[in-house]
Amino acid sequence: MPRARGGATRFDNLCLACAACNGFKLDRITGRDTETGQTVALFNPRSQHWHDHFAWSDDGTQIIGLTAHGRATIDALRLNRPLVVAARAIWVSMHQHPPGEEQER
């Protein structure tokens, strides 16, 4: 729960994110599923598993939403914005991406 919505500033309520993703998330706890248009909770890494909700594109540069939670999170945090996709392409060319399953938990 974001601090702006009454969440505590405790380790178990914080999530590590880059400044851009954090800026897109703001105090959101829900997003719009781009497939159904429904409002759903955003992905919660503490209670959900990455691979249940997301996959990597064949070229490893884009995140694909497998569920409503995944699609809404990708859209809300703009996880496939051009700069990030370009960075992933560089990491793929260096054989440093996509991360292994243990790093996505």
Side-chain angles (χ1 to χ4, degrees):
M1 179 67 63
R3 187 175 65 189
R5 291 184 177 252
T9 305
R10 299 186 325 246
F11 181 74
D12 64 344
N13 193 44
L14 300 176
C15 187
L16 180 62
C18 73
C21 289
N22 194 47
F24 291 126
K25 183 178 182 301
L26 300 170
D27 67 347
R28 296 177 198 200
I29 56 175
T30 62
R32 183 184 57 83
D33 176 8
T34 55
E35 193 172 294
T36 67
Q38 292 182 305
T39 299
V40 298
L42 296 179
F43 172 74
N44 182 338
R46 288 187 176 79
S47 61
Q48 297 171 307
H49 296 284
W50 196 92
H51 284 279
D52 292 340
H53 300 277
F54 306 99
W56 289 106
S57 61
D58 289 340
D59 68 359
T61 63
Q62 294 196 40
I63 301 174
I64 299 167
L66 303 176
T67 65
H69 300 286
R71 291 185 296 269
T73 301
I74 291 167
D75 184 60
L77 276 62
R78 301 181 193 169
L79 297 179
N80 289 323
R81 59 192 178 277
L83 183 61
V84 175
V85 171
R88 291 180 192 142
I90 293 168
W91 300 333
V92 167
S93 74
M94 297 169 52
H95 306 287
Q96 299 298 309
H97 191 73
E101 184 173 343
E102 67 283 349
Q103 294 173 312
E104 293 168 343
R105 291 186 178 183

